[in-house]
């Protein structure tokens, strides 16, 4: 049987080549066994991230030529604002250079020192931007999300009992806002149901007067899962699902580098005039004028077009099914992966893949480096290295999920690339006992997974 059929044909290609075995061995050592430190030209298939790695369409490239590079009042800004209003239903939009720029503005304006920002599992930059103004991010995702084998269809859902407990313990005034991520990245690309979004908003906004802010970065992929899995949404167009989702929030941050099919960009959007006024006055300090926010006019045009394009049903169906295709090739050979297969990536369960390694030897980091060495496929650690240290005790935190993320760039790789990747992992699984662990020899202060370095320890 063939993989999912691509709803596009290829007009431009970029050659890639497999580095020799000797070069792969050297390259991963030069990179301190950290795939973030590999040179791109040493990589054959780059599954490090789906962020900023999409292939743009002819329509987006045509839009790039219409970049209005005026410092103020660029027409591309207004096109982007209109796209956000049409697709997401928010009235106000503040552009930023990428998602973390929006996280910065939102957190800085909404969080007071000592406050909590409960969220359905942390994301690295989101957690840091909550901590920098003095906040903490407790996890309120349902327990099923922490179990890689559990096949709950909406593993990204929020557990309202956990939220109630926080309110009972600390009082609602201690909560800055509730943060809901779409298609939860660190849980394996797992969606949130419409029912859950509706209930969280009613609980927060109506009962406790708390704001709900979305991380809407992968909201189009989440909307596809709602259409595919949630009763009553089978016949509703993606764009209507998206608008209903966003109606259960006060605002969102959005990294356009994912579902908007572009290489750079982001924004925050809101229904709330006060959030808009505050963040618009600060965007000029950190990002750029409020009509470009760190993006060139041409970039805003590509985001505006990509936001609309990324909601097309045929595209989303192919996208989600390509990820599933890779996942199913692995499941067939009993490779331990997070189930169900999520939207943007296949996640390997490193604790089951390399059970001979203690957590202190960073199994996911080890596995990610070993995959590169075997085949030139670049993946990413999403486990204890990413999680970092406890803010108070300074101890390493070992989350239940110790994963390697094989992230699929949008419209970039063919199904044959997926097959090549699966073959490498299956081969590695057969000799998993021979893979030695790692020790961390360099640890930067912030977001250590990006730049930390490791050495092999003897088996
Ligand atoms: C869920 C989520 N939120 C926020 C961000 C940050 O966005 P950016 O990388 O554009 O700064 C990312 C990026 O990977 C993400 O996956």
């Amino acid at each position: 049987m063939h993989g999912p059929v691509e709803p596009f044909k290829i007009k431009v290609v970029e050659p890639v080549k497999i580095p020799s075995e000797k070069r792969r061995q050297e390259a991963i050592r030069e990179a301190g066994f950290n795939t973030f430190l590999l040179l791109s030209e040493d990589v054959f298939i780059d599954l490090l991230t789906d962020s900023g790695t999409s292939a743009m369409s002819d329509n987006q490239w045509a839009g790039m030529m219409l970049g209005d590079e005026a410092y103020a009042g660029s027409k591309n800004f207004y096109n982007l604002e209109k796209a956000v209003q049409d697709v997401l239903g928010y009235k106000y939009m503040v552009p930023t250079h990428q998602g973390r720029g929006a996280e910065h503005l939102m957190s800085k304006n909404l969080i007071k020192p000592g406050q909590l920002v409960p969220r359905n599992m942390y994301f690295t930059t989101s957690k840091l931007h909550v901590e920098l103004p003095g906040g903490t991010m407790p996890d309120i995702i349902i327990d099923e999300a922490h179990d890689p084998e559990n096949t709950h269809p909406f593993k990204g859902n929020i557990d309202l009992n956990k939220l109630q407990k926080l309110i009972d313990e600390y009082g609602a005034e201690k909560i800055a806002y509730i943060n809901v991520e779409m298609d939860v990245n660190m849980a394996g690309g797992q969606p949130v149901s419409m029912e859950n979004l509706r209930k969280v908003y009613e609980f927060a906004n109506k009962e406790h007067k708390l704001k709900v802010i979305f991380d809407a970065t992968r909201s189009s992929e989440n909307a596809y899962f709602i259409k595919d899995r949630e009763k009553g949404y089978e016949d509703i167009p993606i764009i209507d699902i998206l608008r209903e989702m966003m109606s259960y929030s006060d605002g969102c941050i959005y990294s356009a580098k994912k579902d908007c099919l572009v290489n750079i960009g982001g924004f925050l959007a809101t229904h709330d005039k006060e959030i808009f006024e505050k963040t618009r006055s600060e965007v000029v300090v950190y990002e750029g004028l409020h009509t470009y926010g760190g993006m060139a006019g041409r970039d805003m045009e590509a985001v505006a077009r990509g936001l609309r394009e990324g909601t097309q049903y045929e595209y989303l169906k192919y996208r989600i099914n390509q990820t599933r295709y890779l996942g199913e090739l692995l499941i067939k050979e009993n490779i331990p992966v997070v189930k169900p297969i999520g939207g943007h990536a296949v996640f390997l369960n490193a604790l089951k893949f390399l059970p001979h390694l203690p957590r202190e030897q960073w199994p996911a980091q080890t596995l990610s480096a070993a995959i590169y060495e075997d085949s030139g496929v670049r993946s990413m650690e999403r486990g204890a290295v990413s999680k970092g240290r406890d803010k108070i005790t300074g101890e390493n935190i070992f989350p239940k999920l110790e994963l390697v993320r094989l992230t699929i760039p949008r419209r970039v790789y063919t199904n044959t690339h997926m097959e090549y990747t699966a073959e490498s992992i299956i081969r590695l699984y057969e000799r998993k006992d021979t893979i030695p662990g790692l020790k961390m020899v360099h640890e930067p202060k912030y977001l250590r997974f990006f730049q930390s370095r490791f050495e092999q320890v003897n088996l």
Side-chain angles (χ1 to χ4, degrees):
M1 270 301 282
H2 59 75
V5 177
E6 296 83 355
F8 53 82
K9 56 186 178 176
I10 296 165
K11 198 173 326 208
V12 178
V13 295
E14 177 184 337
V16 287
K17 60 176 192 307
I18 310 179
S20 68
E21 188 179 352
K22 182 168 169 288
R23 178 60 204 147
R24 297 197 302 268
Q25 285 168 356
E26 279 165 14
I28 196 68
R29 280 160 184 78
E30 285 164 17
F33 293 90
N34 184 346
T35 53
F36 276 100
L37 301 177
L38 287 167
L39 304 182
S40 160
E41 63 183 359
D42 283 325
V43 174
F44 174 44
I45 298 175
D46 204 346
L47 307 186
L48 183 73
T49 176
D50 63 328
S51 182
T53 53
S54 295
M56 293 205 293
S57 65
D58 48 3
N59 177 48
Q60 286 175 293
W61 279 109
M64 296 281 281
M65 289 305 290
L66 301 176
D68 171 1
E69 306 306 342
Y71 187 90
S74 161
K75 66 179 175 220
N76 310 116
F77 166 79
Y78 295 101
N79 291 346
L80 175 55
E81 187 182 57
K82 181 81 174 50
V84 169
Q85 288 165 348
D86 290 350
V87 176
L88 304 175
Y90 293 112
K91 183 164 181 198
Y92 306 109
M93 187 274 297
V94 177
T96 59
H97 75 286
Q98 60 182 81
R100 71 198 71 181
E103 286 174 338
H104 175 217
L105 296 177
M106 194 65 96
S107 307
K108 196 165 179 297
N109 279 291
L110 264 54
I111 304 170
K112 294 194 202 78
Q115 281 194 313
L116 306 175
V117 179
R119 175 166 163 134
N120 48 348
M121 204 172 270
Y122 82 107
F123 180 71
T124 53
T125 56
S126 325
K127 176 166 167 272
L128 183 57
H129 278 297
V130 163
E131 289 173 356
L132 288 173
T136 311
M137 183 178 271
D139 184 9
I140 51 164
I141 204 165
I142 56 172
D143 286 342
E144 286 87 339
H146 293 280
D147 173 4
E149 298 296 327
N150 193 302
T151 57
H152 190 297
F154 290 103
K155 269 172 124 175
N157 280 357
I158 280 189
D159 183 337
L160 280 170
N161 292 325
K162 291 186 185 172
L163 194 50
Q164 182 65 59
K165 258 195 167 159
L166 284 176
I167 292 176
D168 294 344
E169 201 174 336
Y170 299 99
E173 61 293 345
K174 192 91 197 266
I175 295 182
Y177 57 89
I178 295 160
N179 200 197
V180 189
E181 184 184 333
M182 303 293 121
D183 225 18
V184 182
N185 191 346
M186 303 299 277
Q190 304 293 335
V192 187
S193 71
M194 190 73 90
E195 187 192 10
N196 192 249
L197 293 177
R198 195 180 306 124
K199 284 190 174 157
V200 169
Y201 191 62
E202 276 168 14
F203 175 88
N205 199 281
K206 302 230 167 82
E207 290 181 37
H208 297 282
K209 300 274 167 275
L210 285 170
K211 289 203 189 307
V212 176
I213 303 293
F214 286 173
D215 181 334
T217 295
R218 294 184 181 81
S219 47
S220 299
E221 291 177 1
N222 198 113
Y224 176 86
F225 281 120
I226 289 177
K227 189 173 169 70
D228 195 43
R229 295 180 184 170
E230 193 162 347
K231 211 166 165 288
Y233 287 92
E234 306 83 349
D235 300 323
I236 312 282
I238 294 287
I239 193 158
D240 294 346
I241 295 178
L242 272 170
R243 290 175 66 108
E244 184 183 343
M245 286 161 68
M246 303 307 151
S247 75
Y248 303 129
S249 73
D250 295 284
C252 78
I253 71 93
Y254 201 121
S255 166
K257 298 172 73 174
K258 286 80 169 174
D259 281 3
C260 296
L261 300 155
V262 291
N263 307 119
I264 194 69
F267 54 85
L268 72 78
T270 178
H271 306 295
D272 182 320
K273 189 143 193 247
E274 202 186 324
I275 295 180
F276 172 62
E277 295 289 357
K278 280 185 173 169
T279 50
R280 193 170 87 130
S281 83
E282 282 207 355
V283 75
V284 298
V285 182
Y286 298 103
E287 303 282 319
L289 194 74
H290 58 275
T291 56
Y292 74 87
M295 282 184 279
R298 56 181 171 270
D299 294 328
M300 288 190 284
E301 189 59 35
V303 176
R305 292 177 185 221
L307 179 59
R308 293 181 195 276
E309 225 171 77
T311 64
Q312 286 166 7
Y313 178 72
E314 284 308 319
Y315 153 72
L316 279 170
K317 183 174 166 200
Y318 141 79
R319 157 76 178 151
I320 301 294
N321 280 319
Q322 189 180 44
T323 308
R324 188 179 301 156
Y325 180 60
L326 173 60
E328 281 170 2
L329 290 174
L330 297 172
I331 290 173
K332 243 194 272 162
E333 299 300 323
N334 295 319
I335 308 295
V337 299
V338 174
K339 293 175 194 142
I341 301 300
H344 65 307
V346 175
F347 287 72
L348 304 175
N349 179 356
L351 295 181
K352 271 203 159 172
F353 203 113
L354 300 175
H356 61 288
L357 297 186
R359 297 294 298 262
E360 292 74 15
Q361 289 186 19
W362 317 106
Q365 188 77 29
T366 303
L367 180 55
S368 177
I371 293 169
Y372 170 76
E373 204 170 324
D374 182 75
S375 57
V377 172
R378 168 151 73 169
S379 59
M380 182 197 290
E381 188 266 6
R382 293 275 80 153
V385 180
S386 295
K387 181 85 185 183
R389 292 177 181 272
D390 185 282
K391 220 173 68 168
I392 296 163
T393 66
E395 294 296 316
N396 280 313
I397 308 170
F398 292 107
K400 280 198 189 137
L401 298 180
E402 174 75 6
L403 309 175
V404 168
R405 192 179 78 177
L406 299 155
T407 339
I408 320 296
R410 294 166 182 78
R411 306 189 291 208
V412 171
Y413 290 113
T414 64
N415 297 327
T416 314
H417 289 117
M418 299 299 112
E419 288 154 17
Y420 173 92
T421 300
E423 276 168 23
S424 160
I425 291 162
I426 294 162
R427 195 163 54 232
L428 214 52
Y429 195 59
E430 279 161 15
R431 61 169 186 87
K432 58 189 166 46
D433 302 340
T434 64
I435 300 173
L438 298 172
K439 67 169 186 253
M440 197 186 286
V441 293
H442 170 68
E443 180 177 355
K445 184 168 171 202
Y446 294 118
L447 301 173
R448 65 182 182 182
F449 58 95
F450 282 133
Q451 292 154 346
S452 49
R453 299 185 70 84
F454 300 81
E455 282 172 6
Q456 269 181 339
V457 291
N458 293 331
L459 260 184

